Amino acid sequence: MNQKGFTNIVLVVVIVILVGAVGYFAFVKKSEPIVQQPTPTPTQVINTPKSSPTPTPIPTDPTANWKTFSSTALGISFKYPVSYIIMDRLSGEEKAILLGDKEFPKPDIAPWYHAPVTISKYEESKVNDQVSALSSVKRNTITIDGQTANVVEGNYQDYPAPGIPANNHIKIITITNKNLTITAQDSYAGEKSDWNSLLSVLSNFLGTIKFK
């Protein structure tokens, strides 16, 4: 066999091997199971409504529309309700300022007998007389415009004075550093007023006081 014939035989063998290899791989590829890709589940988007921030309540000033009174003689200024009447008795013997929500009785009666709120010069003996006539006495201290004030609260059971009904409430506040006494009571010109309402007014009133 010559060299040319041998070469042809080798070439045929190579071609057969290649064709067989290609056919084998084609068969194997066709026989592989087809893996089915899972269908992606659509994601559900939930729109949560945004909550509006709760507005911070703005505190209201109950004394914003109150009137202002100033006294050089007592060294004090304060605000009082527009529905209240104020009487300046500083030129008289009592030297007091009266506050109330209706007309005052005749001025010759001592002011603490008929005014819901009285501001006067501090007199120790007079305060002691008032306190000694009280029952169910409660004591505490508060601060008014940076000054310590002593508070005595109680009831008059049977105080021998004109214009004071029995069992009336009274609160006596003394600011000795400023030589002042503030008195509040529910006896008003021989009548009874609402004590809790008066205490509410008094609390706001004390917060407006400024000493000179």
Side-chain angles (χ1 to χ4, degrees):
M1 180 182 295
N2 57 22
Q3 188 175 3
K4 183 177 179 181
F6 180 76
T7 301
N8 289 336
I9 293 171
V10 171
L11 183 60
V12 171
V13 171
V14 170
I15 291 172
V16 171
I17 292 172
L18 288 174
V19 171
V22 170
Y24 173 76
F25 283 113
F27 176 75
V28 171
K29 187 70 175 176
K30 187 175 181 181
S31 302
E32 287 180 356
I34 298 173
V35 179
Q36 203 168 19
Q37 297 295 328
T39 304
T41 304
T43 304
Q44 185 177 8
V45 178
I46 301 175
N47 293 322
T48 304
K50 294 182 179 180
S51 58
S52 302
T54 304
T56 303
I58 301 174
T60 56
D61 179 6
T63 68
N65 297 322
W66 285 17
K67 297 179 181 179
T68 300
F69 182 89
S70 181
S71 168
T72 303
L74 292 181
I76 190 175
S77 67
F78 55 83
K79 298 177 75 173
Y80 63 99
V82 293
S83 61
Y84 267 44
I85 300 167
I86 191 164
M87 180 183 289
D88 184 341
R89 295 268 294 277
L90 297 175
S91 58
E93 182 181 350
E94 302 297 346
K95 297 201 169 22
I97 300 169
L98 280 59
L99 291 164
D101 56 1
K102 63 181 180 180
E103 291 292 342
F104 297 105
K106 55 185 181 178
D108 58 341
I109 301 176
W112 47 85
Y113 291 167
H114 55 73
V117 180
T118 304
I119 308 167
S120 59
K121 286 289 187 181
Y122 171 69
E123 295 182 40
E124 185 176 5
S125 60
K126 188 173 294 183
V127 170
N128 290 340
D129 286 345
Q130 286 181 296
V131 172
S132 65
L134 298 179
S135 63
S136 304
V137 175
K138 294 185 289 185
R139 300 174 185 267
N140 69 305
T141 58
I142 60 175
T143 301
I144 302 175
D145 193 29
Q147 299 294 322
T148 299
N150 297 310
V151 182
V152 179
E153 184 175 350
N155 299 327
Y156 278 139
Q157 295 298 324
D158 186 18
Y159 191 63
I164 296 186
N167 297 318
N168 72 307
H169 298 87
I170 187 168
K171 179 176 281 194
I172 304 167
I173 304 168
T174 55
I175 311 101
T176 54
N177 285 347
K178 295 297 180 179
N179 197 30
L180 288 175
T181 300
I182 300 171
T183 305
Q185 63 178 359
D186 63 357
S187 168
Y188 192 175
E191 301 176 4
K192 298 281 283 186
S193 58
D194 186 276
W195 180 237
N196 290 328
S197 297
L198 180 57
L199 289 180
S200 178
V201 172
L202 180 68
S203 176
N204 292 326
F205 161 75
L206 294 176
T208 69
I209 290 177
K210 299 295 180 186
F211 298 114
K212 298 181 179 181

